[in-house]
Amino acid sequence: MKWLSVTDFVPNFSHNEVKFLAIGLVLEAAAFSYGKLPEMEVRLDFLNLLPLDMSRKILMCFDDVSDIVRASAVSRRWQHLVLGNGLSKHLCFRSFPHLSRVASIVEVMNSEVNGNEEAACSSSRDSKSVQRDHRVYSYLAHASASFLMRNCILEAITASSTDNDPEESITNTLEARDLIARRASYWSSKGHFKPDVSETLIYKLVSNLCVVTEINIRPFQAFFQSGSPIYSSKAVRFRFGHLKHVMDLRSDLAGELHRGSTKEMFTWTYTSPEFPMAQENCLQKFKLPQPVLCIGGILQIELLGRVQRQETDALFYICVSHVQVIGRSLSPAFDIEILEPSWEFILKCNRQAKTYNQLSMLDNEPLTILPTYLERRVIELRQIVNMLRGNVVQGEYYAWGDEEDESDEDFVA
């Protein structure tokens, strides 16, 4: 009679069967190590029955960082397998492939006594750096899945074109309201005879590391024009990336935009598929195929093609009322430093940092007074002064009555 070993069965299992077997055994072993299960006369570590490669493959089936942490707490052997094979790092790389560009890890510790910071750098493979990598990548995987969702846009940087600046500036897309200071709030491109001409909008996110799940866009409906046309695009595409060089986004980018060379200023690390956009006046949600780690905090929205011609000049326009970027900001727990010219980066982790994720930010934005907000206030005050003087600028329309009671139906030229 031939005795069968575990290795005779496991190779015949499917990937999911091995995964469920591994999770069950790990949880049972972890519970036993913490005293959650009654003691048995025979204690058996099933990984001792398997070849090392098979043990590693089983543990690499985990897709939850909490399972990896539990596995590392079962025994010294399990901890060696988890840390030595970099399972938490493997999990992060599987979710966010661009983390392969991490050149080194810096772990920052806050000192509450003297306010100084101590940095521990990891670039070698000694035992301390292996443990540090496990801590940092485990925390990163946890943060990317558990920090609260919020609107991740910090400010609008630039648009490829603007019809009437600043009245129809890209900064208007940060405001969710339809009317600001008695006028419509939206961004408008310049008009074109060809409907296939695209436009781009570029935004700075709230931190250098954000996990983005969806982008929401509301096309603008011109209620003050005959027929109330909606100036949407045919489709939309998204890019995430970072600046190629350290610069002042407002002043330096304005000069580059004037010279028409903004394409040379950014490195794009992710490009989404195209999403069709409906010609509807609603906040349209574009969910990414999977959560994307934006490294560098720059988002470009590509508005592909035009569908609506303006009656007065027979030109095609694209207009946007509002933009949202829904995701998780990993700051200040995580930050990066881009290295030139390789575009690799240093991953900085501060597990002691107080995060903004203790409460939801979706209904409380903005929490700080940004330059874009001040610019909008100046524009609004100037419009009010012009109205009081009787000098209403062409293209500005004012609705009378209480702002709280305003609706789209009341906004008529």
Side-chain angles (χ1 to χ4, degrees):
M1 180 177 180
K2 179 182 177 182
W3 292 93
L4 298 178
S5 66
V6 177
T7 55
D8 293 322
F9 292 98
V10 173
N12 297 322
F13 289 169
S14 67
H15 176 78
N16 286 334
E17 289 173 333
V18 173
K19 176 179 176 181
F20 292 134
L21 171 65
I23 292 175
L25 291 172
V26 168
L27 294 179
E28 182 176 348
F32 183 82
S33 66
Y34 286 122
K36 300 298 184 181
L37 295 178
E39 288 196 28
M40 296 177 288
E41 293 183 359
V42 179
R43 298 183 180 183
L44 180 64
D45 185 348
F46 79 96
L47 288 185
N48 286 329
L49 303 176
L50 301 176
L52 184 61
D53 287 345
M54 182 61 65
S55 300
R56 185 178 67 252
K57 288 180 181 178
I58 290 177
L59 294 179
M60 290 181 69
C61 291
F62 295 134
D63 53 10
D64 190 329
V65 67
S66 61
D67 293 330
I68 294 177
V69 173
R70 292 190 186 100
S72 66
V74 170
S75 66
R76 292 183 181 274
R77 172 175 169 79
W78 284 47
Q79 185 183 62
H80 175 73
L81 285 171
V82 170
L83 273 64
N85 291 284
L87 295 188
S88 57
K89 180 178 179 179
H90 170 77
L91 177 61
C92 286
F93 278 30
R94 190 168 58 192
S95 301
F96 309 116
H98 295 104
L99 285 174
S100 60
R101 295 169 50 211
V102 173
S104 61
I105 292 176
V106 173
E107 200 171 30
V108 181
M109 285 75 71
N110 290 338
S111 175
E112 297 180 359
V113 177
N114 53 21
N116 295 328
E117 293 183 346
E118 297 179 356
C121 183
S122 166
S123 57
S124 61
R125 295 304 299 170
D126 55 59
S127 60
K128 289 186 178 180
S129 67
V130 169
Q131 294 176 10
R132 186 182 304 121
D133 286 359
H134 175 68
R135 287 195 303 269
V136 171
Y137 283 113
S138 296
Y139 186 38
L140 178 61
H142 168 75
S144 64
S146 64
F147 281 11
L148 292 180
M149 305 292 283
R150 59 173 292 183
N151 186 356
C152 289
I153 292 183
L154 175 64
E155 61 178 321
I157 300 178
T158 187
S160 53
S161 73
T162 302
D163 194 30
N164 296 300
D165 196 15
E167 287 78 10
E168 297 174 336
S169 167
I170 183 178
T171 58
N172 294 337
T173 63
L174 303 180
E175 178 58 60
R177 293 177 295 173
D178 290 335
L179 299 175
I180 302 295
R182 306 297 193 262
R183 80 176 300 273
S185 174
Y186 63 97
W187 161 82
S188 174
S189 70
K190 290 186 177 297
H192 284 274
F193 288 105
K194 298 181 179 180
D196 57 346
V197 177
S198 301
E199 298 284 347
T200 59
L201 305 176
I202 299 179
Y203 297 88
K204 179 73 175 71
L205 303 186
V206 292
S207 65
N208 288 327
L209 284 177
C210 290
V211 178
V212 179
T213 57
E214 67 180 51
I215 295 95
N216 303 331
I217 302 176
R218 181 179 182 180
F220 175 65
Q221 183 171 14
F223 294 99
F224 49 84
Q225 293 184 359
S226 176
S228 300
I230 301 175
Y231 292 92
S232 64
S233 61
K234 293 180 180 178
V236 64
R237 182 169 55 207
F238 310 105
R239 298 181 191 270
F240 295 103
H242 57 83
L243 288 166
K244 289 185 176 180
H245 308 286
V246 178
M247 64 177 64
D248 185 295
L249 279 176
R250 292 193 157 272
S251 59
D252 295 348
L253 189 59
E256 295 294 334
L257 182 63
H258 180 71
R259 292 187 289 272
S261 57
T262 54
K263 292 183 179 179
E264 305 300 324
M265 298 181 61
F266 302 100
T267 295
W268 304 115
T269 58
Y270 172 84
T271 301
S272 77
E274 292 186 16
F275 298 90
M277 177 177 282
Q279 194 175 8
E280 298 176 359
N281 178 30
C282 63
L283 193 63
Q284 301 181 33
K285 298 184 178 182
F286 303 98
K287 190 174 181 62
L288 299 175
Q290 60 185 15
V292 175
L293 180 63
C294 177
I295 300 173
I298 301 295
L299 164 67
Q300 181 188 77
I301 298 178
E302 294 182 273
L303 300 165
L304 307 173
R306 303 161 186 248
V307 297
Q308 184 62 50
R309 191 193 300 267
Q310 184 172 248
E311 183 177 343
T312 56
D313 58 9
L315 299 179
F316 288 94
Y317 290 83
I318 302 177
C319 302
V320 173
S321 291
H322 185 46
V323 173
Q324 286 182 346
V325 176
I326 306 301
R328 295 180 170 94
S329 171
L330 303 186
S331 175
F334 290 94
D335 199 359
I336 61 168
E337 179 181 341
I338 304 292
L339 301 176
E340 299 181 23
S342 65
W343 311 126
E344 293 182 336
F345 61 93
I346 299 173
L347 178 62
K348 300 179 180 180
C349 175
N350 185 353
R351 292 185 295 136
Q352 299 174 339
K354 294 181 180 179
T355 68
Y356 300 117
N357 297 282
Q358 297 174 353
L359 51 90
S360 176
M361 306 279 286
L362 282 173
D363 300 326
N364 300 313
E365 308 253 356
L367 296 183
T368 56
I369 298 178
L370 303 175
T372 53
Y373 174 79
L374 296 177
E375 290 177 1
R376 292 178 61 83
R377 292 300 299 161
V378 171
I379 295 173
E380 294 168 7
L381 292 174
R382 185 175 63 185
Q383 293 170 351
I384 292 174
V385 171
N386 288 335
M387 181 183 66
L388 294 175
R389 292 177 176 176
N391 300 325
V392 179
V393 180
Q394 184 177 2
E396 294 186 347
Y397 300 87
Y398 300 94
W400 304 98
D402 295 334
E403 186 170 350
E404 293 77 14
D405 299 328
E406 290 171 343
S407 64
D408 293 339
E409 288 74 19
D410 298 327
F411 188 62
V412 181

